[in-house]
Amino acid sequence: MTLSQTSPFLARLDVDGGSVDPSGSRTQRRASDLRGYFADAGALERAIESADPVIYEVSSAPVPEEAGEVPFSITTVLPGRVGAEFHMTRGHGHLTAEGEVYTGLSGVGILVLYDGSTVRTLDLLPNRTAYVPPGWAHRSVNVGDEPLRFLAVYSGAAGHDYERVARHGMGARVLADGSGHRVEEDPPAG
Ligand code: PAN
Ligand code: ZN
């Protein structure tokens, strides 16, 4: 058995601040980082021109993305919309057949899962853990008025494939519908 180079440690989850302490990295994605992801490209450009808001950020624990390790992070998706579409992460699949668990910390969200033909949605809520099986691309959407925060725990061997979702989407979009939301089919073009 190979011994990890990482020492055992205890992390504090700052739910209100959306950070893991100790923290390995903190990544922000602004509207300008998400060109091509939202259906309403004009609304996205207007958002970029006005304030280029942060759409989401990820605070990761100092765990290497290597086989055997188990990285974890808190994602915060800020509330808001681009046109009718709620703020969301880019979404990705894993490069290897590795699953993941998402545990809701605060706010109200929808986890969209897509295996290339079937779309599934799960509620992302505090004290609920959503299971992402191997082979399912995943994207988190904030459908509430407050920041959506969740803890993601995954395999260090997973790797992240953004290409496929960037090109073919997630099979569905989550749109505002009155004071609530609806999931609309978004089949891949071609
Ligand atoms: C999460 C995501 C995080 C940001 O930690 O990486 O929510 O979403 P994108 O990676 O799609 O931009 C996870 O699923 N890790 O595997
Ligand atoms: Zn993932």
Side-chain angles (χ1 to χ4, degrees):
M1 193 174 69
T2 317
L3 196 62
S4 169
Q5 297 302 303
T6 312
S7 297
F9 70 97
L10 192 61
R12 194 174 73 87
L13 306 183
D14 177 359
V15 176
D16 292 339
S19 63
V20 180
D21 177 23
S23 174
S25 68
R26 191 163 183 134
T27 308
Q28 284 191 331
R29 303 279 174 215
R30 293 182 177 274
S32 54
D33 298 314
L34 297 174
R35 284 191 168 101
Y37 283 94
F38 290 94
D40 190 338
L44 184 72
E45 289 307 319
R46 288 192 291 280
I48 293 168
E49 279 162 30
S50 62
D52 195 12
V54 173
I55 307 291
Y56 66 98
E57 55 184 37
V58 182
S59 168
S60 302
V63 177
E65 304 232 342
E66 291 171 9
E69 304 279 359
V70 184
F72 58 99
S73 56
I74 292 180
T75 298
T76 301
V77 184
L78 281 310
R81 282 165 25 193
V82 174
E85 199 168 9
F86 287 102
H87 283 183
M88 62 186 186
T89 60
R90 290 175 296 172
H92 61 264
H94 294 158
L95 290 166
T96 57
E98 307 279 354
E100 181 160 6
V101 290
Y102 277 21
T103 299
L105 299 173
S106 66
V108 183
I110 301 285
L111 177 61
V112 180
L113 299 141
Y114 185 45
D115 71 355
S117 55
T118 302
V119 175
R120 291 285 310 275
T121 58
L122 298 173
D123 293 338
L124 262 180
L125 297 168
N127 301 319
R128 299 282 193 285
T129 293
Y131 181 61
V132 180
W136 289 75
H138 38 288
R139 166 183 285 162
S140 322
V141 185
N142 184 345
V143 296
D145 298 331
E146 292 172 12
L148 168 70
R149 293 197 162 101
F150 60 88
L151 177 73
V153 183
Y154 55 102
S155 161
H160 292 81
D161 172 18
Y162 291 96
E163 277 297 309
R164 197 177 170 82
V165 171
R167 282 193 194 167
H168 303 292
M170 285 292 300
R173 294 182 179 278
V174 184
L175 307 173
D177 189 11
S179 59
H181 69 271
R182 69 191 160 88
V183 179
E184 186 179 273
E185 274 188 44
D186 181 32

